[in-house]
């Protein structure tokens, strides 16, 4: 932050920017949350935890009173809870839409980005998330009551399929995270019984490859959608989770193949090629097209880990272990330091570019005003 401050001071001294632009640039580059933002964050967290706690209480109520309630009472209570949650969501949605229309027609009221989304109301999102969790409880109740004989993976797959339209319409982060989590969970449970379907998913390495490819695809899809339509597909938590899970699966798989090359060479080459292609594609996309620090950091540290495993495989088979530990530790230290310095430089360049855009836009507004 010191280099940013000195650069802004240099621009101000050389006359490239005015003092007002410098103040605006400082606020743009160093945003510090005030008391109202902290209260909003705490209120949002309490709302989400309260909604999830209420849903868990409903589910635990059925689990505790399973023998006391008859079949119709169970379905009636759970369906009534879902109906009330959906009705509350519809009411909150229309109330937010009415407030948005009134604010947009009032010249003195500035509509923020969060207010511009009809489904951006936090209370409505929390109620909809609670309704989606209750849908899963209803599906489990159907399976337990009528003994359908379905496998566990089918429950989570149907659950994800049922709430997918709601996630598509609402489009907020937590609900998409629930859908993707259910898809991964159902896929993992399906792998346990994949031998019954005559599918080659009983091998752990193939399962890791499938998980890595699936979550990488989900990550790129949501990143692209967020880029072409800003705000509608803004799901940072989902993107962080999918990218971390996918890169973790890739790193684990490639490291395991390096240490235990007992499979055919074709499979090893295919996995290595896919891993390198993912790193190259990620570097091109997130360094040149859509500059972001987080995916670059994930790819860089994953490459350091895989390279360290490869060096361990080479050194510890033919050399002294003591010298090998020293060399590997030195490599990890130097590579991590170099990557951190490079990421810091990239982050500074991104902030400078953002600050230059703010100054340029402010200058255009001033010229138009004059």
């Amino acid at each position: 932050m010191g280099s940013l401050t000195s650069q802004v001071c240099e621009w101000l001294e050389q006359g490239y920017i005015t003092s007002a632009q410098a103040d605006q640039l400082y606020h743009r580059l160093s945003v510090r949350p005030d008391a109202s933002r902290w209260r909003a964050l705490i209120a949002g967290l309490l709302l989400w935890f309260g909604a999830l706690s209420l849903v868990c209480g409903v589910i635990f109520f059925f689990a505790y009173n399973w023998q006391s309630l008859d079949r119709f009472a169970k379905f009636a209570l759970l369906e009534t809870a879902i109906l009330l949650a959906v009705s509350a969501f519809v009411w909150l949605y229309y109330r937010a839409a009415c407030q948005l229309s009134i604010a947009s027609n009032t010249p003195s009221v500035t509509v923020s980005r969060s207010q511009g989304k009809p489904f951006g109301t936090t209370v409505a999102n929390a109620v909809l998330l609670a309704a989606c969790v209750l849908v899963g409880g209803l599906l489990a109740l159907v399976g337990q009551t009528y003994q359908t004989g379905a496998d566990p993976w089918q429950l989570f797959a149907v659950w994800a399929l049922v709430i997918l339209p709601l996630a598509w319409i609402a489009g907020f982060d937590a609900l998409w995270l629930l859908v993707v989590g259910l898809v991964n969970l159902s896929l993992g449970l399906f792998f346990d019984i994949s031998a019954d379907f005559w599918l080659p998913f009983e091998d752990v390495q193939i399962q890791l490859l499938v998980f890595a490819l699936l979550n990488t695809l989900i990550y790129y899809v949501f990143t692209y959608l967020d880029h072409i339509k800003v705000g509608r597909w803004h799901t940072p938590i989902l993107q962080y989770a999918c990218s971390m899970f996918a890169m973790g699966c890739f790193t684990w798989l490639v490291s395991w193949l390096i240490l235990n090359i007992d499979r055919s060479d074709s499979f090893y080459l295919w996995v290595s090629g896919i891993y390198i292609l993912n790193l190259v594609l990620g570097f091109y996309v997130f360094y040149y097209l859509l500059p972001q620090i987080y995916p670059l950091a994930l790819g860089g540290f994953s490459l350091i880990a895989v390279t360290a495993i490869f060096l361990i495989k080479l050194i510890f088979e033919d050399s002294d272990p003591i010298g090998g530990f020293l060399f590997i530790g030195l490599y990890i230290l130097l590579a991590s330091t170099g990557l951190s310095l490079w990421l810091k430089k990239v982050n500074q360049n991104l902030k400078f570019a953002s600050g230059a855009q703010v100054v340029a836009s402010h200058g255009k507004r001033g010229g138009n005003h004059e």
Side-chain angles (χ1 to χ4, degrees):
M1 196 65 204
S3 59
L4 295 174
T5 305
S6 61
Q7 184 67 38
V8 173
C9 292
E10 183 178 353
W11 288 347
L12 183 61
E13 292 175 356
Q14 294 176 357
Y16 293 131
I17 59 177
T18 62
S19 58
Q21 292 175 343
D23 293 336
Q24 187 177 7
L25 191 57
Y26 280 131
H27 290 294
R28 175 69 176 177
L29 297 178
S30 58
V31 178
R32 293 180 175 85
D34 52 3
S36 61
R37 292 187 177 183
W38 280 110
R39 286 195 298 268
L41 176 61
I42 295 174
L45 292 176
L46 291 177
L47 178 62
W48 289 114
F49 287 132
L52 293 177
S53 299
L54 179 61
V55 172
C56 292
V58 173
I59 296 176
F60 292 156
F61 172 80
F62 283 99
Y64 183 79
N65 299 280
W66 184 264
Q67 300 296 333
S68 303
L69 298 174
D70 58 359
R71 180 185 306 175
F72 296 102
K74 296 173 186 176
F75 281 100
L77 291 175
L78 195 53
E79 290 174 358
T80 302
I82 295 175
L83 182 61
L84 290 176
V86 173
S87 302
F89 169 74
V90 173
W91 177 71
L92 291 169
Y93 162 68
Y94 278 108
R95 189 184 69 170
C98 294
Q99 293 176 354
L100 178 61
S101 62
I102 295 174
S104 61
N105 294 326
T106 303
S108 61
V109 177
T110 302
V111 180
S112 64
R113 179 179 175 183
S114 61
Q115 292 175 344
K117 295 176 61 178
F119 290 90
T121 308
T122 306
V123 179
N125 290 340
V127 172
L128 184 61
L129 180 63
C132 292
V133 176
L134 290 176
V135 168
L138 179 61
L139 294 175
L141 179 61
V142 172
Q144 289 291 330
T145 303
Y146 296 102
Q147 296 297 324
T148 58
D151 294 318
W153 71 270
Q154 297 179 0
L155 168 64
F156 297 103
V158 173
W159 186 3
L161 186 63
V162 169
I163 65 176
L164 179 61
L166 298 177
W168 183 277
I169 295 173
F172 68 96
D173 206 352
L175 191 53
W176 276 118
L177 185 62
L178 176 61
V179 173
V180 174
L182 291 174
V183 171
N184 282 276
L185 181 58
S186 61
L187 188 61
L189 294 175
F190 173 74
F191 286 154
D192 293 336
I193 59 172
S194 60
D196 299 334
F197 293 89
W198 300 94
L199 295 176
F201 292 136
E202 68 276 0
D203 200 340
V204 178
Q205 288 73 42
I206 299 180
Q207 296 177 11
L208 288 175
L209 182 60
V210 173
F211 277 121
L213 293 176
L214 174 63
N215 288 273
T216 301
L217 178 62
I218 294 174
Y219 174 65
Y220 277 108
V221 167
F222 276 90
T223 302
Y224 175 74
L225 292 176
D226 187 25
H227 176 67
I228 63 175
K229 195 169 184 179
V230 179
R232 175 63 177 85
W233 302 97
H234 186 62
T235 55
I237 300 178
L238 174 65
Q239 295 176 15
Y240 293 157
C242 288
S243 59
M244 181 176 293
F245 185 60
M247 191 57 66
C249 291
F250 267 126
T251 305
W252 188 4
L253 177 59
V254 176
S255 301
W256 189 92
L257 290 176
I258 291 174
L259 296 176
N260 303 279
I261 306 179
D262 55 357
R263 299 182 59 89
S264 61
D265 294 336
S266 60
F267 181 79
Y268 176 76
L269 292 177
W270 272 102
V271 173
S272 301
I274 293 173
Y275 175 72
I276 295 174
L277 180 62
N278 182 38
L279 291 180
V280 174
L281 179 63
F283 176 78
Y284 176 75
V285 171
F286 299 110
Y287 185 77
Y288 293 103
L289 300 181
L290 304 173
Q292 295 182 20
I293 296 298
Y294 181 75
L296 294 176
L298 277 181
F301 284 110
S302 174
L303 184 60
I304 291 175
V306 170
T307 307
I309 295 296
F310 182 73
L311 293 177
I312 290 173
K313 179 72 174 180
L314 292 180
I315 294 175
F316 286 1
E317 286 185 351
D318 302 326
S319 304
D320 184 17
I322 298 179
F325 277 119
L326 180 61
F327 178 76
I328 296 299
L330 184 62
Y331 162 74
I332 294 176
L333 180 62
L334 293 177
S336 301
T337 304
L339 179 61
S340 301
L341 293 176
W342 179 74
L343 291 174
K344 183 179 179 181
K345 182 179 179 181
V346 173
N347 190 29
Q348 291 178 355
N349 293 333
L350 292 179
K351 289 184 176 180
F352 278 131
S354 178
Q357 291 179 358
V358 173
V359 173
S361 62
H362 188 79
K364 290 181 180 179
R365 292 176 183 175
N368 295 330
H369 181 71
E370 292 175 357

